Amino acid sequence: MRGGGIYFAAYRDNHLVSPALIGKAKNPAALRVVDWDRDGLLDVMVAELGSFLPADHSDGKVIWLRQNNERPGTFDSNELLEGLG
């Protein structure tokens, strides 16, 4: 969480493929893999806390890492909600 990197890793022929950085967030806390736009490509929803340590602020966000139709395996970052406590 502190590093902010969001990675994708997969197995090919029973071997782990090197994790690929697909996005960044300040302090990502939770991820869900979904096909949010129903285009047949899996996307990633990210819950962003806004800070590593607990604090009274409104820096939280929900980020949608949308898999690019023209370049599968690459992701575009979209903020769906911001200013969350």
Side-chain angles (χ1 to χ4, degrees):
M1 181 173 103
R2 182 170 251 167
I6 300 165
Y7 294 87
F8 175 80
Y11 280 91
R12 259 190 222 126
D13 301 323
N14 293 326
H15 297 298
L16 181 64
V17 176
S18 294
L21 181 68
I22 63 169
K24 288 196 66 90
K26 190 173 178 183
N27 292 105
L31 307 171
R32 295 294 180 268
V33 177
V34 297
D35 182 6
W36 187 255
D37 54 359
R38 297 181 181 172
D39 64 356
L41 298 173
L42 292 177
D43 308 312
V44 181
M45 298 300 270
V46 181
E48 156 71 62
L49 286 183
S51 66
F52 183 72
L53 297 174
D56 187 15
H57 58 67
S58 297
D59 296 337
K61 298 177 185 177
V62 175
I63 300 169
W64 171 29
L65 296 178
R66 181 180 181 271
Q67 193 166 173
N68 191 305
N69 284 326
E70 296 168 8
R71 294 172 295 152
T74 63
F75 293 78
D76 301 318
S77 181
N78 303 279
E79 289 184 11
L80 297 183
L81 292 170
E82 59 184 329
L84 301 175

